[in-house]
């Protein structure tokens, strides 16, 4: 038997895989229709407009029958490796001492998850997080241990502080010193992604250099399973961007998955989580948080506290940037 073709047979994107019949006696013309891979359903969403490029790589992987997990890793690698992006990977804005420290985590459809926090000098922390998930009995490695583990797995030591980020840090030191810039307004766009593959499995991941000029040792929500990302393949997945301290307080991504489990749409679930952010923080000034979510059916949604948050959507036909619903107009 040999694989011949994929053909549309109509109705909700259903596809049929037609295979040449066995050249058995009296059966030479017969074609067998097998259960279908749902290639039409593959899709990916990710935070901010840098998600557009990441999604393009992710969707190519999904179209080639790769898993959602592969798609998430490959998609996020694109942004981590881009020195122009000052929020993720190489080129990320450093902490108060000028050190670039990165956080990332990844989760698959079977509750497997891996994470690295406060890792330095490694360009692709999402791939290290995946190695933690697959090659260790642990979920999370941090700091020097995460770095040593990465080196043992063949990752290369790299200087992550680009000239541009160094200049911005020096400028900040001169002018503001103790004042941190507001997260997510002008200066940040951590990438978090959710992908759905042809088997109907979800995966999610998140990677960031965290809050620009943060205190030495600070870790945000992005490497914390349940805060930066969460996924239950029976229900859906959610991930976050924005002020990690506020997201951690409500276990934001986990909360959204539980809300979807209880029947909320992805957007409504994100909106309720934002309501919890409002309830759990007295001072909402400069506190931007944005959530994105996708349920098991592939329905998507988002919500943010302030205007200005958007996310990138990609399926096999379309790529678009979607403005999130929000509660307050950002006035700066
Ligand atoms: C953090 N949540 O470290 C991250 C930052 C972020 O867009 O999302 N920025 O708190």
């Amino acid at each position: 038997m040999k694989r011949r073709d994929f053909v549309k047979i109509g109705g909700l994107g259903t596809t049929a895989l037609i295979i040449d019949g066995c050249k058995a006696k009296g059966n030479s013309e017969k074609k067998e229709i097998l259960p279908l891979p749902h290639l039409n359903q593959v899709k990916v969403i990710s935070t901010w407009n840098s998600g557009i490029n990441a999604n393009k790589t992710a969707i190519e992987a999904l179209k080639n029958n790769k898993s959602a997990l592969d798609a998430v890793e490959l998609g996020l690698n694109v942004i981590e490796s881009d020195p122009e992006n000052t929020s993720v990977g190489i080129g990320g804005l450093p902490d108060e001492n000028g050190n670039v420290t990165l956080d990332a985590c990844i989760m698959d459809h079977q509750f497997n998850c891996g994470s690295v926090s406060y890792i330095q000098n490694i360009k692709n922390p999402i791939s290290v997080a995946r190695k933690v998930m697959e090659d260790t009995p642990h979920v999370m490695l941090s700091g020097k241990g995460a770095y040593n583990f990465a080196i043992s797995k063949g990752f290369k030591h790299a200087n992550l502080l680009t000239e541009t980020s160094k200049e911005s840090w020096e400028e900040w030191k001169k002018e503001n010193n103790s004042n941190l810039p507001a997260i997510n307004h002008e200066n940040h766009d951590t990438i978090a992604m959710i992908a759905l593959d042809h088997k109907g499995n979800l995966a999610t991941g998140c990677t960031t250099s965290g809050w620009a000029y943060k205190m030495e040792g600070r870790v945000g929500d992005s490497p914390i399973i349940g805060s930066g990302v969460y996924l239950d393949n029976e229900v859906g997945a959610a991930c976050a961007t924005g002020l990690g301290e506020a997201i951690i307080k409500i276990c934001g991504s986990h909360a959204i998955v539980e809300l979807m489990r209880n029947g909320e749409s992805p957007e409504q679930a994100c909106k309720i989580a934002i309501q919890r952010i409002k309830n759990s923080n007295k001072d909402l000034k400069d506190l931007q948080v944005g959530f994105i979510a996708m349920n098991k059916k592939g329905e998507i949604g988002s919500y943010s506290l302030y205007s200005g948050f958007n996310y990138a959507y990609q399926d096999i036909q379309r790529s678009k940037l979607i403005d999130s619903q929000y509660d307050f107009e950002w006035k700066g």
Side-chain angles (χ1 to χ4, degrees), residues 69-330:
L69 189 69
D70 287 338
V72 164
E73 181 187 2
L74 291 167
L76 295 182
N77 280 166
V78 172
I79 310 304
E80 288 179 330
S81 304
D82 175 4
E84 304 286 307
N85 187 310
T86 57
S87 309
V88 180
I90 188 164
L93 290 168
D95 70 3
E96 59 182 356
N97 298 328
N99 295 316
V100 182
T101 74
L102 305 178
D103 297 335
C105 71
I106 195 160
M107 190 162 186
D108 78 3
H109 63 290
Q110 294 174 314
F111 296 103
N112 297 310
C113 42
S115 155
V116 288
S117 66
Y118 196 67
I119 189 170
Q120 298 180 47
N121 296 113
I122 298 290
K123 203 164 62 174
N124 294 116
I126 196 71
S127 298
V128 186
R130 182 169 177 177
K131 288 272 182 236
V132 173
M133 171 175 118
E134 291 176 342
D135 295 358
T136 81
H138 307 303
V139 166
M140 194 163 186
L141 291 179
S142 196
K144 191 89 179 95
Y147 170 83
N148 288 341
F149 171 71
I151 295 294
S152 79
K153 290 289 166 185
F155 291 82
K156 297 276 170 284
H157 180 100
N159 172 25
L160 303 180
L161 188 64
T162 55
E163 270 314 302
T164 317
S165 289
K166 189 165 174 243
E167 276 165 26
S168 305
W169 168 67
E170 283 166 351
E171 195 68 17
W172 168 79
K173 251 184 119 51
K174 234 190 295 157
E175 287 178 6
N176 301 292
N177 213 343
S178 58
N179 284 337
L180 292 183
I183 220 162
N184 276 155
H185 293 296
E186 269 93 60
N187 71 347
H188 232 272
D189 49 2
T190 289
I191 184 159
M193 176 183 275
I194 302 169
L196 178 66
D197 68 23
H198 67 286
K199 291 184 177 161
N201 289 328
L202 290 157
T204 183
C206 181
T207 180
T208 187
S209 53
W211 197 343
Y213 321 132
K214 59 200 171 188
M215 281 177 71
E216 182 181 20
R218 182 267 186 188
V219 169
D221 61 302
S222 305
I224 298 178
I225 302 295
S227 290
V229 307
Y230 196 69
L231 190 175
D232 181 332
N233 208 49
E234 297 286 302
V235 178
C239 45
T241 179
L243 188 73
E245 283 72 2
I247 298 163
I248 292 169
K249 278 189 196 173
I250 64 151
C251 291
S253 296
H254 182 262
I256 292 165
V257 171
E258 290 311 300
L259 288 158
M260 291 195 291
R261 190 192 307 283
N262 291 335
E264 302 294 352
S265 68
E267 182 179 310
Q268 187 59 19
C270 292
K271 185 174 180 178
I272 295 170
I274 289 292
Q275 186 59 46
R276 290 186 187 170
I277 298 266
K278 283 157 68 181
N279 295 344
S280 54
N281 290 277
K282 283 199 196 85
D283 186 4
L284 298 180
K285 191 176 163 299
D286 291 343
L287 196 169
Q288 174 66 313
V289 168
F291 292 115
I292 61 173
M294 187 188 295
N295 67 17
K296 186 68 186 156
K297 288 186 263 177
E299 295 165 339
I300 59 168
S302 77
Y303 211 85
S304 58
L305 188 53
Y306 288 97
S307 57
F309 173 52
N310 51 25
Y311 68 108
Y313 170 87
Q314 172 87 60
D315 61 22
I316 57 171
Q317 282 151 347
R318 292 171 302 159
S319 162
K320 57 181 176 175
L321 193 62
I322 302 173
D323 284 327
S324 180
Q325 299 295 312
Y326 58 89
D327 273 352
F328 305 125
E329 205 63 52
W330 173 251

